[in-house]
Amino acid sequence: IPETAWAPSGEWICYNGPEGLYLVSPDGQTRKALTKTVSDNIAFSKDSSTVYALRRAANGKWQLVFIDVRSAQERRIVPVDVADGATLSGLTIHPGGKRFATSVGWSRHDIWLMEGFRPR
């Protein structure tokens, strides 16, 4: 299920499509490509002028991208300092716009070898 975010103004719904982020009007009549950034972690600014998206850069590091709704341009990219291999899930922007919250998780995998096992 793709992540969606509704603009506080009610004008747009942002969603993760097959080739990036898109905006669609609530009545479904207007659709606009926003950016080639693919992200399941998106949110709008309080004034609905910016879409924020968490994405992995080409080097595998996480970034928070600020995308202008009117021009569909990435205005700012901020590195997110989390450990290598971390997975980010969800995005909530503080009403003041200077902080955000997300969940950070790590997967750990082990391989076990059992010797002398005799099935019945």
Side-chain angles (χ1 to χ4, degrees):
I1 297 174
E3 177 69 28
T4 59
W6 199 302
S9 67
E11 183 180 2
W12 295 109
I13 300 167
C14 183
Y15 68 96
N16 186 25
E19 297 175 9
L21 296 178
Y22 294 86
L23 297 173
V24 64
S25 60
D27 64 6
Q29 298 300 309
T30 306
R31 183 175 172 228
K32 174 182 173 179
L34 189 60
T35 179
K36 297 281 186 191
T37 292
V38 175
S39 176
D40 287 332
N41 305 305
I42 54 179
F44 274 91
S45 61
K46 186 176 178 180
D47 66 1
S48 302
S49 67
T50 303
V51 170
Y52 301 98
L54 286 170
R55 72 173 180 201
R56 282 193 194 264
N59 65 3
K61 302 287 185 185
W62 284 97
Q63 300 174 326
L64 180 64
V65 183
F66 297 58
I67 306 158
D68 184 72
V69 170
R70 281 200 184 104
S71 68
Q73 297 295 310
E74 293 182 3
R75 291 185 302 143
R76 189 170 171 205
I77 300 172
V78 177
V80 178
D81 188 21
V82 294
D84 288 343
T87 301
L88 303 184
S89 178
L91 178 61
T92 303
I93 303 297
H94 183 275
K98 296 194 187 281
R99 291 183 256 174
F100 72 93
T102 187
S103 295
V104 180
W106 289 271
S107 293
R108 181 175 170 200
H109 304 280
D110 293 319
I111 296 176
W112 292 76
L113 176 64
M114 181 181 288
E115 294 180 18
F117 176 71
R118 291 187 179 91
R120 292 183 184 173

PDB file of all heavy atoms in Angstrom, residues 48-66:
ATOM      1  N   SER A  48       1.106  23.760   3.571  1.00  0.00           N
ATOM      2  CA  SER A  48       0.874  22.954   2.359  1.00  0.00           C
ATOM      3  C   SER A  48       1.764  23.327   1.175  1.00  0.00           C
ATOM      4  O   SER A  48       1.541  22.860   0.070  1.00  0.00           O
ATOM      5  CB  SER A  48      -0.594  23.023   1.919  1.00  0.00           C
ATOM      6  OG  SER A  48      -1.447  22.585   2.939  1.00  0.00           O
ATOM      7  N   SER A  49       2.785  24.154   1.389  1.00  0.00           N
ATOM      8  CA  SER A  49       3.629  24.595   0.270  1.00  0.00           C
ATOM      9  C   SER A  49       4.790  23.644  -0.011  1.00  0.00           C
ATOM     10  O   SER A  49       5.409  23.722  -1.072  1.00  0.00           O
ATOM     11  CB  SER A  49       4.189  25.991   0.550  1.00  0.00           C
ATOM     12  OG  SER A  49       5.101  25.943   1.644  1.00  0.00           O
ATOM     13  N   THR A  50       5.075  22.743   0.932  1.00  0.00           N
ATOM     14  CA  THR A  50       6.222  21.857   0.802  1.00  0.00           C
ATOM     15  C   THR A  50       5.818  20.424   1.126  1.00  0.00           C
ATOM     16  O   THR A  50       5.058  20.184   2.061  1.00  0.00           O
ATOM     17  CB  THR A  50       7.341  22.286   1.776  1.00  0.00           C
ATOM     18  OG1 THR A  50       7.696  23.650   1.501  1.00  0.00           O
ATOM     19  CG2 THR A  50       8.576  21.408   1.655  1.00  0.00           C
ATOM     20  N   VAL A  51       6.335  19.492   0.337  1.00  0.00           N
ATOM     21  CA  VAL A  51       6.235  18.069   0.659  1.00  0.00           C
ATOM     22  C   VAL A  51       7.614  17.641   1.130  1.00  0.00           C
ATOM     23  O   VAL A  51       8.634  17.956   0.499  1.00  0.00           O
ATOM     24  CB  VAL A  51       5.805  17.227  -0.560  1.00  0.00           C
ATOM     25  CG1 VAL A  51       5.954  15.740  -0.273  1.00  0.00           C
ATOM     26  CG2 VAL A  51       4.373  17.549  -0.949  1.00  0.00           C
ATOM     27  N   TYR A  52       7.650  16.955   2.256  1.00  0.00           N
ATOM     28  CA  TYR A  52       8.888  16.395   2.787  1.00  0.00           C
ATOM     29  C   TYR A  52       8.887  14.900   2.476  1.00  0.00           C
ATOM     30  O   TYR A  52       7.854  14.242   2.589  1.00  0.00           O
ATOM     31  CB  TYR A  52       8.968  16.576   4.303  1.00  0.00           C
ATOM     32  CG  TYR A  52       8.896  18.006   4.757  1.00  0.00           C
ATOM     33  CD1 TYR A  52       7.693  18.549   5.196  1.00  0.00           C
ATOM     34  CD2 TYR A  52      10.029  18.811   4.765  1.00  0.00           C
ATOM     35  CE1 TYR A  52       7.627  19.865   5.630  1.00  0.00           C
ATOM     36  CE2 TYR A  52       9.968  20.121   5.198  1.00  0.00           C
ATOM     37  CZ  TYR A  52       8.758  20.647   5.629  1.00  0.00           C
ATOM     38  OH  TYR A  52       8.692  21.944   6.054  1.00  0.00           O
ATOM     39  N   ALA A  53      10.055  14.383   2.095  1.00  0.00           N
ATOM     40  CA  ALA A  53      10.160  12.951   1.782  1.00  0.00           C
ATOM     41  C   ALA A  53      11.486  12.414   2.309  1.00  0.00           C
ATOM     42  O   ALA A  53      12.528  13.044   2.122  1.00  0.00           O
ATOM     43  CB  ALA A  53      10.073  12.726   0.280  1.00  0.00           C
ATOM     44  N   LEU A  54      11.428  11.272   2.963  1.00  0.00           N
ATOM     45  CA  LEU A  54      12.650  10.566   3.366  1.00  0.00           C
ATOM     46  C   LEU A  54      13.013   9.602   2.250  1.00  0.00           C
ATOM     47  O   LEU A  54      12.169   8.852   1.766  1.00  0.00           O
ATOM     48  CB  LEU A  54      12.410   9.786   4.661  1.00  0.00           C
ATOM     49  CG  LEU A  54      12.327  10.615   5.930  1.00  0.00           C
ATOM     50  CD1 LEU A  54      11.840   9.743   7.087  1.00  0.00           C
ATOM     51  CD2 LEU A  54      13.669  11.236   6.261  1.00  0.00           C
ATOM     52  N   ARG A  55      14.265   9.638   1.815  1.00  0.00           N
ATOM     53  CA  ARG A  55      14.724   8.742   0.753  1.00  0.00           C
ATOM     54  C   ARG A  55      16.159   8.331   1.008  1.00  0.00           C
ATOM     55  O   ARG A  55      16.876   8.954   1.769  1.00  0.00           O
ATOM     56  CB  ARG A  55      14.621   9.426  -0.608  1.00  0.00           C
ATOM     57  CG  ARG A  55      15.669  10.510  -0.794  1.00  0.00           C
ATOM     58  CD  ARG A  55      15.676  11.050  -2.185  1.00  0.00           C
ATOM     59  NE  ARG A  55      16.697  12.076  -2.318  1.00  0.00           N
ATOM     60  CZ  ARG A  55      16.703  12.992  -3.249  1.00  0.00           C
ATOM     61  NH1 ARG A  55      15.736  13.037  -4.148  1.00  0.00           N
ATOM     62  NH2 ARG A  55      17.679  13.878  -3.311  1.00  0.00           N
ATOM     63  N   ARG A  56      16.564   7.262   0.316  1.00  0.00           N
ATOM     64  CA  ARG A  56      17.961   6.839   0.327  1.00  0.00           C
ATOM     65  C   ARG A  56      18.661   7.468  -0.870  1.00  0.00           C
ATOM     66  O   ARG A  56      18.170   7.415  -1.993  1.00  0.00           O
ATOM     67  CB  ARG A  56      18.077   5.329   0.224  1.00  0.00           C
ATOM     68  CG  ARG A  56      17.791   4.617   1.512  1.00  0.00           C
ATOM     69  CD  ARG A  56      18.255   3.162   1.380  1.00  0.00           C
ATOM     70  NE  ARG A  56      17.727   2.353   2.428  1.00  0.00           N
ATOM     71  CZ  ARG A  56      18.386   2.071   3.552  1.00  0.00           C
ATOM     72  NH1 ARG A  56      19.588   2.547   3.738  1.00  0.00           N
ATOM     73  NH2 ARG A  56      17.834   1.309   4.461  1.00  0.00           N
ATOM     74  N   ALA A  57      19.827   8.027  -0.623  1.00  0.00           N
ATOM     75  CA  ALA A  57      20.656   8.571  -1.700  1.00  0.00           C
ATOM     76  C   ALA A  57      21.341   7.423  -2.431  1.00  0.00           C
ATOM     77  O   ALA A  57      21.285   6.268  -1.994  1.00  0.00           O
ATOM     78  CB  ALA A  57      21.690   9.529  -1.121  1.00  0.00           C
ATOM     79  N   ALA A  58      22.019   7.728  -3.513  1.00  0.00           N
ATOM     80  CA  ALA A  58      22.731   6.708  -4.288  1.00  0.00           C
ATOM     81  C   ALA A  58      23.774   5.978  -3.437  1.00  0.00           C
ATOM     82  O   ALA A  58      24.052   4.807  -3.667  1.00  0.00           O
ATOM     83  CB  ALA A  58      23.389   7.344  -5.506  1.00  0.00           C
ATOM     84  N   ASN A  59      24.326   6.657  -2.428  1.00  0.00           N
ATOM     85  CA  ASN A  59      25.334   6.036  -1.568  1.00  0.00           C
ATOM     86  C   ASN A  59      24.716   5.237  -0.415  1.00  0.00           C
ATOM     87  O   ASN A  59      25.422   4.736   0.447  1.00  0.00           O
ATOM     88  CB  ASN A  59      26.301   7.094  -1.018  1.00  0.00           C
ATOM     89  CG  ASN A  59      25.617   8.094  -0.102  1.00  0.00           C
ATOM     90  OD1 ASN A  59      24.425   8.004   0.200  1.00  0.00           O
ATOM     91  ND2 ASN A  59      26.382   9.082   0.343  1.00  0.00           N
ATOM     92  N   GLY A  60      23.374   5.137  -0.380  1.00  0.00           N
ATOM     93  CA  GLY A  60      22.689   4.355   0.639  1.00  0.00           C
ATOM     94  C   GLY A  60      22.349   5.127   1.904  1.00  0.00           C
ATOM     95  O   GLY A  60      21.687   4.598   2.791  1.00  0.00           O
ATOM     96  N   LYS A  61      22.806   6.361   2.009  1.00  0.00           N
ATOM     97  CA  LYS A  61      22.528   7.194   3.190  1.00  0.00           C
ATOM     98  C   LYS A  61      21.132   7.813   3.067  1.00  0.00           C
ATOM     99  O   LYS A  61      20.661   8.105   1.977  1.00  0.00           O
ATOM    100  CB  LYS A  61      23.565   8.314   3.320  1.00  0.00           C
ATOM    101  CG  LYS A  61      24.989   7.840   3.414  1.00  0.00           C
ATOM    102  CD  LYS A  61      25.270   7.238   4.754  1.00  0.00           C
ATOM    103  CE  LYS A  61      26.752   6.878   4.871  1.00  0.00           C
ATOM    104  NZ  LYS A  61      27.058   6.199   6.088  1.00  0.00           N
ATOM    105  N   TRP A  62      20.498   8.025   4.215  1.00  0.00           N
ATOM    106  CA  TRP A  62      19.162   8.616   4.232  1.00  0.00           C
ATOM    107  C   TRP A  62      19.236  10.140   4.114  1.00  0.00           C
ATOM    108  O   TRP A  62      20.175  10.768   4.604  1.00  0.00           O
ATOM    109  CB  TRP A  62      18.439   8.244   5.519  1.00  0.00           C
ATOM    110  CG  TRP A  62      17.942   6.838   5.515  1.00  0.00           C
ATOM    111  CD1 TRP A  62      18.560   5.761   6.069  1.00  0.00           C
ATOM    112  CD2 TRP A  62      16.733   6.354   4.932  1.00  0.00           C
ATOM    113  NE1 TRP A  62      17.808   4.624   5.862  1.00  0.00           N
ATOM    114  CE2 TRP A  62      16.682   4.964   5.166  1.00  0.00           C
ATOM    115  CE3 TRP A  62      15.701   6.947   4.233  1.00  0.00           C
ATOM    116  CZ2 TRP A  62      15.626   4.168   4.724  1.00  0.00           C
ATOM    117  CZ3 TRP A  62      14.650   6.159   3.792  1.00  0.00           C
ATOM    118  CH2 TRP A  62      14.619   4.789   4.034  1.00  0.00           C
ATOM    119  N   GLN A  63      18.203  10.707   3.451  1.00  0.00           N
ATOM    120  CA  GLN A  63      18.087  12.152   3.276  1.00  0.00           C
ATOM    121  C   GLN A  63      16.641  12.571   3.515  1.00  0.00           C
ATOM    122  O   GLN A  63      15.719  11.806   3.218  1.00  0.00           O
ATOM    123  CB  GLN A  63      18.435  12.565   1.847  1.00  0.00           C
ATOM    124  CG  GLN A  63      19.806  12.216   1.391  1.00  0.00           C
ATOM    125  CD  GLN A  63      19.995  12.531  -0.081  1.00  0.00           C
ATOM    126  OE1 GLN A  63      19.083  12.426  -0.889  1.00  0.00           O
ATOM    127  NE2 GLN A  63      21.217  12.929  -0.440  1.00  0.00           N
ATOM    128  N   LEU A  64      16.465  13.800   4.009  1.00  0.00           N
ATOM    129  CA  LEU A  64      15.157  14.434   4.053  1.00  0.00           C
ATOM    130  C   LEU A  64      15.140  15.472   2.948  1.00  0.00           C
ATOM    131  O   LEU A  64      15.986  16.365   2.911  1.00  0.00           O
ATOM    132  CB  LEU A  64      14.900  15.096   5.413  1.00  0.00           C
ATOM    133  CG  LEU A  64      13.553  15.792   5.557  1.00  0.00           C
ATOM    134  CD1 LEU A  64      12.396  14.805   5.448  1.00  0.00           C
ATOM    135  CD2 LEU A  64      13.482  16.548   6.882  1.00  0.00           C
ATOM    136  N   VAL A  65      14.202  15.323   2.011  1.00  0.00           N
ATOM    137  CA  VAL A  65      14.125  16.188   0.844  1.00  0.00           C
ATOM    138  C   VAL A  65      12.936  17.134   1.012  1.00  0.00           C
ATOM    139  O   VAL A  65      11.842  16.696   1.386  1.00  0.00           O
ATOM    140  CB  VAL A  65      13.950  15.351  -0.444  1.00  0.00           C
ATOM    141  CG1 VAL A  65      13.933  16.242  -1.672  1.00  0.00           C
ATOM    142  CG2 VAL A  65      15.037  14.310  -0.554  1.00  0.00           C
ATOM    143  N   PHE A  66      13.152  18.423   0.717  1.00  0.00           N
ATOM    144  CA  PHE A  66      12.100  19.437   0.748  1.00  0.00           C
ATOM    145  C   PHE A  66      11.708  19.706  -0.700  1.00  0.00           C
ATOM    146  O   PHE A  66      12.544  20.134  -1.494  1.00  0.00           O
ATOM    147  CB  PHE A  66      12.616  20.749   1.351  1.00  0.00           C
ATOM    148  CG  PHE A  66      13.053  20.657   2.779  1.00  0.00           C
ATOM    149  CD1 PHE A  66      14.050  19.785   3.188  1.00  0.00           C
ATOM    150  CD2 PHE A  66      12.492  21.484   3.719  1.00  0.00           C
ATOM    151  CE1 PHE A  66      14.467  19.731   4.516  1.00  0.00           C
ATOM    152  CE2 PHE A  66      12.906  21.443   5.041  1.00  0.00           C
ATOM    153  CZ  PHE A  66      13.887  20.569   5.439  1.00  0.00           C
TER     154      PHE A  66
END
